[in-house]
């Protein structure tokens, strides 16, 4: 991902090694060498495989485990790469332990044949909770986008003791709201009715072009950075075990035998922040408003010109402080 130069502009104060080990918040001046250590922590460790919920998941962490943990849950077909490294590093610079991971069938996590996922939505939910166990985290600030926002809502209702706060990005209520919400935009409905032809999955250039056009479809009105999306898509394709499975399988999840949890927004007890693009073509802004109105004491931050996407770099000055403020609690 594109490095975030702004990370180096943070305060020149940090905790001493003794303070960090004691999980103390006292801030003292540190030497340049100490800053280099902190910069290494903020930059993220190497992605690694962990055993969670009986499967192997690939995870990457940023920052110190002594800091409050933010668990980032991606959307359908999205690996950890859906959360930009620069975004994660900014959160880590704000003294957060940031965790991003590959869902099943994305990135380096366990995968099943393309078009035939051997798990359910409930398994993806259990993966998120089990990942916290694998990392030794009792409670986390859970952030979910799109499908990941649905997972996060269910997690907050079924495992409230694990969710310190909840942040919902570009998503929709996972249960009834009592009013009809607007459908996807006309261009989205047209694309669903007449989808683009699949690429030759063995042709890297064709796959990347397919991914770029998919990203363009979900974007808002702000200028689309095709070069950056093309570079990111290439990196995702190169680190994914089976890119066809990654882009297909979450849309083909089978119905499970386990009971389906119906989320009542009023049952969400975790302090909740809703971040939603004003030009989301899949879930128009009223979906975000419904979440903020239905969840007790929730707050909505509208991201101007943003589509159905993780907060892009141009709105990080809004999104990152909002998220750090929201997660500034145990």
């Amino acid at each position: 991902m594109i490095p975030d130069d702004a990370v180096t502009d943070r305060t020149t104060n940090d905790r001493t090694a003794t303070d960090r080990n004691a999980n103390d918040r006292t801030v003292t001046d540190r030497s340049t060498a100490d800053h280099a250590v902190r910069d290494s922590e903020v930059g993220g460790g190497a992605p690694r495989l962990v055993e969670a919920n009986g499967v192997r998941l690939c995870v990457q962490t940023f920052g110190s485990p002594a800091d409050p943990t933010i668990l980032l849950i991606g959307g359908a077909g999205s690996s950890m790469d859906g959360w930009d490294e620069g975004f994660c590093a900014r959160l880590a610079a704000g003294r957060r332990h940031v965790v991003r991971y590959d869902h099943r069938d994305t990135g380096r996590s366990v995968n099943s044949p393309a078009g035939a996922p051997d798990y359910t939505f409930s398994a993806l939910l259990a993966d998120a909770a089990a990942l916290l166990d694998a990392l030794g985290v009792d409670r986390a600030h859970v952030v979910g986008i799109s499908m990941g926002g649905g997972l996060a809502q269910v997690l907050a209702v079924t495992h409230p003791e694990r969710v310190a706060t909840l942040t919902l990005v570009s998503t929709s209520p996972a249960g009834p709201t009592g009013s009809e919400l607007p459908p996807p935009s006309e261009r989205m409905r047209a694309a669903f009715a007449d989808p683009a032809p699949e690429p030759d999955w063995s042709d890297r250039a064709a796959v990347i072009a397919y991914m770029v056009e998919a990203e363009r479809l979900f974007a808002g009105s702000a200028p689309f950075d095709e070069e950056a999306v093309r570079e990111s898509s290439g990196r995702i394709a190169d680190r994914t075990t089976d890119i066809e499975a990654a882009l297909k399988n979450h849309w083909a999840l089978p119905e499970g035998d386990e009971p389906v949890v119906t989320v009542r927004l009023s049952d969400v007890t975790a302090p909740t922040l809703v971040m939603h693009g004003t030009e989301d073509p899949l879930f128009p802004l009223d979906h975000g408003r419904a979440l903020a109105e239905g969840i007790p004491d929730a707050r909505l931050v509208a991201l101007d010109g943003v589509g159905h996407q993780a907060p892009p770099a141009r709105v990080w000055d809004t999104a990152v402080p909002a998220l750090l403020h929201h997660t500034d609690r145990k």
Side-chain angles (χ1 to χ4, degrees):
M1 294 295 176
I2 302 172
D4 184 3
D5 294 337
V7 170
T8 60
D9 295 334
R10 67 189 183 279
T11 177
T12 56
N13 295 328
D14 207 340
R15 290 173 294 174
T16 63
T18 300
D19 289 336
R20 185 167 60 247
N21 291 338
N23 198 24
D24 191 280
R25 291 298 181 184
T26 302
V27 178
T28 59
D29 292 332
R30 301 181 66 192
S31 67
T32 301
D34 285 339
H35 278 300
V37 172
R38 181 65 183 179
D39 288 344
S40 175
E41 291 175 348
V42 167
R48 65 187 190 275
L49 292 174
V50 300
E51 190 81 12
N53 195 27
V55 298
R56 287 181 302 171
L57 300 177
C58 188
V59 62
Q60 184 181 28
T61 62
F62 298 74
S64 169
D67 291 330
T69 294
I70 293 178
L71 175 67
L72 302 173
I73 306 179
S78 179
S79 64
M80 68 170 69
D81 305 277
W83 302 102
D84 193 287
E85 276 189 8
F87 181 71
C88 297
R90 277 204 181 189
L91 293 174
R95 295 204 183 106
R96 299 294 185 272
H97 176 232
V98 182
V99 178
R100 65 175 189 168
Y101 69 103
D102 294 331
H103 282 301
R104 302 186 193 209
D105 279 325
T106 73
R108 307 304 299 175
S109 287
V110 64
N111 67 289
S112 46
D118 58 1
Y119 53 91
T120 63
F121 179 90
S122 293
L124 295 179
L125 176 67
D127 288 350
L131 183 58
L132 294 178
D133 292 335
L135 297 176
V137 175
D138 292 330
R139 281 165 60 84
H141 301 279
V142 177
V143 181
I145 182 170
S146 195
M147 180 193 75
L151 290 167
Q153 290 172 63
V154 178
L155 189 66
V157 170
T158 58
H159 296 83
E161 74 284 356
R162 309 302 300 270
V163 181
T165 67
L166 182 65
T167 301
L168 303 173
V169 184
S170 299
T171 192
S172 186
T177 62
S179 61
E180 187 174 352
L181 295 174
S185 69
E186 184 176 342
R187 84 169 188 262
M188 292 295 297
R189 297 197 302 271
F192 290 153
D194 184 22
E198 291 184 13
D200 175 352
W201 296 104
S202 66
D203 183 338
R204 181 179 184 273
V207 169
I208 292 172
Y210 179 82
M211 294 171 69
V212 169
E213 292 311 306
E215 287 295 318
R216 193 192 310 275
L217 179 65
F218 287 94
S221 64
F224 182 73
D225 191 343
E226 181 170 338
E227 181 178 353
V229 174
R230 188 173 299 278
E231 189 273 338
S232 174
S233 297
R235 186 165 53 254
I236 292 169
D238 290 342
R239 67 173 294 272
T240 300
T241 302
D242 185 342
I243 193 64
E244 181 182 3
L247 297 181
K248 282 184 175 180
N249 283 6
H250 290 169
W251 303 99
L253 290 179
E255 294 289 337
D257 294 331
E258 58 271 74
V260 176
V261 175
T262 298
V263 173
R264 293 189 303 177
L265 297 182
S266 60
D267 289 340
V268 176
T269 57
T272 301
L273 172 67
V274 178
M275 288 198 285
H276 210 102
T278 61
E279 299 183 16
D280 189 324
L282 182 63
F283 298 133
L285 182 57
D286 278 351
H287 291 248
R289 291 193 180 108
L291 286 164
E293 292 169 1
I295 297 173
D297 300 319
R299 184 168 72 96
L300 172 65
V301 173
L303 302 176
D304 189 48
V306 173
H308 189 75
Q309 57 195 132
R314 67 179 183 82
V315 299
W316 286 353
D317 285 346
T318 297
V320 171
L323 188 49
L324 289 176
H325 176 75
H326 181 62
T327 58
D328 189 20
R329 66 193 88 196
K330 293 184 178 180

